[in-house]
Amino acid sequence: MCGIVGYVGERSALEVVMGGLRRLEYRGYDSGGVALIHEGTISSAKKAGKLLNLDAELKANPIADGTTGIGHTRWATHGAPNDRNAHPHLDSTGRIAVVHNGIIENFAALRAELEAAGHEMVSETDTETVAHLLHDELESTDDLAEAVRSVCRRLRGAFTLVICDAQRPDIVIGARRNSPLVVGRGKGENFLGSDVAAFIEYTRDAIELGQDQVVTITRDDVVVTDFFGEPAETKEYHVDWDVSAAEKGGFDWFMLKEIDEQPQAVADTLLGRHSIDGLLQLDEMRLSDDELREVDKVIVVAAGTSFYAAMVAKYAIEHWTRIPCEVELASEFRYRDPILDRSTLVVTISQSGETMDTLMAIRYARQQRARVLSICNTNGSTIPRESDAVIYTHAGPEVAVASTKGFLAQVTACYLLALYFAQIKGVKYGDEIASIIGELEKTPTGIQRMLDEADQVRKLAAELSGSRSILFLGRHVGYPVALEGALKLKELAYIHAEGFAAGELKHGPIAVIEEGLPVFVIVPPRGRDQLQEKTVSNIQEIRARGARTIVLAEDGDDDVVPYSDHLIRLPRVPTLLQPLVATVPLQIFASEFASQLGHDVDQPRNLAKSVTVE
Ligand code: F6R
């Protein structure tokens, strides 16, 4: 939440900072702003709303450019999303400019103290207090980094701060606690960003910053210390994607591009997981097989769409390994006093690697001595760094706020984890595991087919775009798919959409079915477990009450034909793998539905990607 950019170099800082903000806009789009150092003064512009508004403002009232600058795109927490509360915030002399991501929890006390000392605040934000505190610190030291460290020691809560000082034209300082910040290393230039997308156009060499660290960038140097000025350890890494991955590439929306990339995302997540002897290997796994053999309970913790991947994981882990598995919303986990010990493995799932609820769950679990393994898509992010082990999904950068390829890659990684457990616990023969992997390796073809057959889904979305309520039903792993279908529609189309376990409908929700209500039903593959038959009965029950049924069923399942107003065919896959193909038409439906209503598909209202507040 909130995107931050900092730059020191020889290029136009305005161009670099605005370019970085454009690529970070998915992190928040309530307002945008820049501050640049020009001949010993700060020139700054800020505007409420999307960056287009800031672009227009800069065109109407150009500001002096420089080669050092900072910028911000906001997801509002303290203070309404207006021009006044937009970042950067300046001290009263206009010498210091500050941008911030996070929440400073003790800001009210700090603000009262500053006001009592005669400082005049012009915004309602917590951020502005930092500019004033720095102003005071700089009365007693010339060292900007020391002043920042001293202020950071006084702050509580979560913050990434990026700061520039008109009197030090070739320095930008960053500080982080609980919110993300990475360094981009260039030649004769250096960058700061909430994530690497901020500077990917210029460099793919990045430095991960740790908790409670302050970084000073100049053209040629990067110096990192802790909040007390002691040199700090950092980790350098090379980003394995380039700027083209962070661009729309001819698609109208990032979301459409990301939906289209799903066969690759799944294939890349599966890639290189076999050792020479045919065994499954997870090479980012920092837990030994012996440690994993000790595990007698798994708890999968995540938020939003990632939570639905966690629900799929539960089915796979319990079915394939017989290890008891719970799933828990990250925002609830640490407040219910969960029973954890050394033999509990907490698995967290996060596309961004920065979700605060999930990060707090990890810290809590580790305090209770549980081991934590994270499934994550973002190298260099906080969650993998704070976990005992990590399995990276290889979906590439996800820019659209609504997660799509991130989800499919997460589900794939969950299957890999479950199968790995089955292998090391010896509860499945090698050829059984190899056969499931073989099925998994076929799914990119099935996903591609769903993409190729998307026209019928788009037509359906256009037809139904007047609906104000749509339901989604599923059983078994089709249940999380139903929940995900409903979430996508809610967040993009802003209509009422709800997912239910199909068997649960008769216990109450069936009362909402009325003539013409569209209901999607994900039908499990036919098998020994009667799941398909039971779901077909559920379709009959709702159709008898007037629902307009949109049925997703595998090829050859003719039982559903008499009860389907619309039938979307799915490729045949084993039951547990069905989410990989069944989710795709629901994503396409939601994006098309939102387009029909004229909504911004990539940046839905009130939302931001990477939720770094609790
Ligand atoms: C929905 C969506 C969110 C995220 C959730 C967790 O489309 O994207 O619900 O899934 O905020 O985010 P991560 O996976 O980054 O932890």
Side-chain angles (χ1 to χ4, degrees), residues 2 53 110 155 163 169 195 197 232 238 279 313 327 343 357 400 402 421 434 442 470 485 488 512 557 576 600-601:
C2 298
N53 297 359
L110 294 170
L155 305 180
I163 294 148
D195 64 51
H238 187 71
L279 290 176
V327 281
S343 55
D357 289 323
F421 259 122
K442 285 189 226 153
I470 298 186
K488 287 284 98 85
V512 305
D557 180 348
L576 270 167
D600 186 328
V601 170

Side-chain angles (χ1 to χ4, degrees), residues 303-306 349-353 355 401-403 410 487-488 491 611:
T305 287
S306 302
I349 306 178
S350 175
Q351 189 286 128
S352 63
T355 300
V401 165
S403 182
Q410 287 168 344
L487 176 61
K488 287 284 98 85
E491 64 179 331
V611 184

Side-chain angles (χ1 to χ4, degrees), residues 50 92 162 167 183 241 243 310 395 423 435 545 558 560 609:
K50 296 198 174 174
S92 36
V162 171
Q167 292 183 14
V183 182
W241 48 272
V243 68
Q423 176 177 287
S435 138
R545 289 164 176 82
D558 292 333
V560 298
K609 204 159 182 77

Side-chain angles (χ1 to χ4, degrees), residues 2-3 21 29-35 44-51 53-54 57 70-90 97-100 122-128 131:
C2 298
L21 291 183
Y29 28 86
D30 285 334
S31 64
V34 291
S44 148
K46 46 194 201 170
K47 207 72 201 154
K50 296 198 174 174
L51 284 176
N53 297 359
L54 179 62
E57 169 67 16
I70 63 176
H72 188 265
T73 171
R74 179 171 188 238
W75 188 82
T77 52
H78 281 92
N82 55 27
D83 290 355
R84 205 159 35 89
N85 290 328
H87 301 211
H89 290 283
L90 274 59
V98 179
V99 293
H100 165 221
V122 296
S123 76
E124 301 152 272
T125 65
D126 48 350
T127 311
E128 195 188 346

Side-chain angles (χ1 to χ4, degrees), residues 237-416:
Y237 63 104
H238 187 71
V239 182
D240 59 6
W241 48 272
D242 63 17
V243 68
S244 63
E247 281 166 0
K248 281 190 201 153
F251 286 85
D252 287 344
W253 300 106
F254 276 108
M255 183 176 174
L256 298 182
K257 176 178 173 240
E258 288 160 9
I259 289 174
D260 201 65
E261 287 169 344
Q262 293 186 111
Q264 198 61 46
V266 171
D268 286 349
T269 302
L270 290 171
L271 203 68
R273 308 293 190 177
H274 289 292
S275 65
I276 293 170
D277 49 11
L279 290 176
L280 188 58
Q281 63 181 11
L282 300 177
D283 44 14
E284 305 97 343
M285 180 70 81
R286 297 190 289 254
L287 290 171
S288 69
D289 286 359
D290 281 342
E291 284 170 313
L292 288 176
R293 267 183 216 107
E294 276 170 29
V295 170
D296 60 13
K297 181 171 74 172
V298 176
I299 308 182
V300 195
V301 180
T305 287
S306 302
F307 176 73
Y308 302 143
M311 289 175 73
V312 177
K314 176 181 166 70
Y315 288 93
I317 290 171
E318 292 197 335
H319 184 70
W320 285 334
T321 74
R322 311 311 296 152
I323 303 170
C325 178
E326 298 168 16
V327 281
E328 182 94 35
L329 285 169
S331 54
E332 291 292 320
F333 178 67
R334 67 187 172 127
Y335 301 108
R336 70 159 177 97
D337 197 11
I339 300 164
L340 304 171
D341 59 30
R342 200 70 190 137
S343 55
T344 308
L345 182 71
V346 172
V347 175
T348 67
I349 306 178
S350 175
Q351 189 286 128
S352 63
E354 298 294 349
T355 300
M356 186 60 78
D357 289 323
T358 310
L359 181 60
M360 289 303 162
I362 291 173
R363 290 192 184 154
Y364 177 85
R366 294 190 77 195
Q367 273 161 14
Q368 310 297 309
R369 299 184 62 248
R371 293 181 174 109
V372 176
L373 179 148
S374 292
I375 292 175
C376 184
N377 195 43
T378 312
N379 205 326
S381 59
T382 310
I383 284 177
R385 196 178 43 249
E386 296 207 11
S387 304
D388 298 297
V390 51
I391 299 177
Y392 281 107
T393 50
H394 295 286
E398 199 178 58
V399 177
V401 165
S403 182
T404 52
K405 63 175 180 172
F407 174 71
L408 257 56
Q410 287 168 344
V411 169
T412 306
C414 291
Y415 295 139
L416 288 172

Side-chain angles (χ1 to χ4, degrees), residues 552-588:
L552 282 71
E554 69 174 359
D555 290 334
D557 180 348
D558 292 333
D559 302 344
V560 298
V561 174
Y563 316 109
S564 307
D565 292 309
H566 302 268
L567 182 54
I568 298 171
R569 284 296 185 190
L570 303 174
R572 282 192 184 174
V573 292
T575 306
L576 270 167
L577 307 192
Q578 203 190 38
L580 291 178
V581 290
T583 309
V584 180
L586 305 185
Q587 299 166 336
I588 295 165

